[in-house]
Amino acid sequence: MVFTGQDETGYANLIKLATAAHLEGYYYKPRIDKEILAAHKEGLIALSGCLASEIPEAIMKEQLPKAREAIDWFKQTLGSENFYLELQNHGIAEQAKVNRHLIPWAKEFGLKLVATNDVHYVEKNHSHAHDCLVCIGTQSMLSDPKRMSAGYPKEQFYLRSADEMKARFAEAPEAVQNTVEIAEKCNLEIEFGKASLSCLSSSPTFHPRRLFAALAG
């Protein structure tokens, strides 16, 4: 899923969630559960996510009641104004299947749609260079049909123009317009040039540096 912070409260909660994901929920990769998300929900906007996320994954597995239950949980927890159903279209059949369910569900649940596009490279013709880069990172060969990037649709994960996005989501034009709505909701201003460090309480005989060393060691 995608989470953004609307303001300082949301940004602070994102930091708390990211910290908890690394220190408490780490298992091969950082993770959080719904309980901790509910505890730090203020100031957040959430998108339902790509194919690897809970709701699309349930739809692909034909577990529609599970997908609907998850949608309702996020709506009730975050508020309908802060939870968007995410549409993607990279020419992948599974995305089309997920979109066919999410578009009517948005009306049923009283939620808004938002169109997103994965950007792995900037220009369309950078697709081959990206393939090479993934091969270098995964120590595989371009000739290997089982390489990670072999399953990526060619020339699809580039930075599309506004007109291209409107054309790809013609069946739900409001999904493209809502990207602007989300951007306008985010009004976080970070003051640079000023350190914002937490104050650590310590005894007069225990210097903060020793406390840091003890925590790190």
Side-chain angles (χ1 to χ4, degrees), residues 102-147:
L102 293 183
I103 291 174
W105 283 358
K107 294 182 179 179
E108 180 181 345
F109 283 89
L111 296 170
K112 293 184 178 181
L113 298 165
V114 62
T116 68
N117 186 82
D118 284 348
V119 179
H120 294 188
Y121 37 89
V122 178
E123 302 289 345
K124 190 174 184 178
N125 59 10
H126 292 170
S127 178
H128 179 67
H130 176 260
D131 194 356
C132 295
L133 185 63
V134 173
C135 284
I136 293 171
T138 56
Q139 298 182 11
S140 54
M141 302 291 290
L142 287 170
S143 57
D144 183 0
K146 295 183 179 180
R147 69 189 187 281

Side-chain angles (χ1 to χ4, degrees), residues 148-210:
M148 179 186 293
S149 50
Y152 295 170
K154 293 185 180 300
E155 300 184 340
Q156 288 293 323
F157 296 114
Y158 66 97
L159 183 59
R160 286 186 164 87
S161 67
D163 288 338
E164 286 178 300
M165 291 295 287
K166 290 176 182 177
R168 294 189 83 81
F169 296 96
E171 74 279 18
E174 71 277 14
V176 178
Q177 297 167 4
N178 286 336
T179 61
V180 178
E181 177 180 290
I182 293 173
E184 291 177 342
K185 283 183 178 181
C186 297
N187 296 303
L188 173 66
E189 292 187 9
I190 299 176
E191 184 178 354
F192 294 99
K194 177 183 177 181
S196 299
L197 299 176
S198 300
C199 294
L200 294 175
S201 59
S202 61
S203 67
T205 58
F206 197 55
H207 195 277
R209 288 188 179 180
R210 294 197 186 97

Side-chain angles (χ1 to χ4, degrees), residues 41-113:
K41 65 182 181 180
E42 299 301 326
L44 297 182
I45 293 176
L47 316 186
S48 58
C50 65
L51 292 179
S53 299
E54 179 182 9
I55 295 168
E57 187 177 63
I59 293 174
M60 288 188 293
K61 293 180 179 178
E62 299 294 340
Q63 298 173 346
L64 301 187
K66 181 179 179 181
R68 292 171 59 86
E69 181 181 346
I71 290 175
D72 187 61
W73 186 90
F74 285 107
K75 175 186 175 180
Q76 298 301 326
T77 302
L78 300 171
S80 59
E81 70 281 7
N82 297 321
F83 179 54
Y84 293 75
L85 297 182
E86 183 174 352
L87 305 180
Q88 291 193 324
N89 182 0
H90 301 100
I92 301 173
E94 289 82 359
Q95 288 178 336
K97 177 179 180 178
V98 169
N99 292 350
R100 284 196 297 270
H101 286 87
L102 293 183
I103 291 174
W105 283 358
K107 294 182 179 179
E108 180 181 345
F109 283 89
L111 296 170
K112 293 184 178 181
L113 298 165

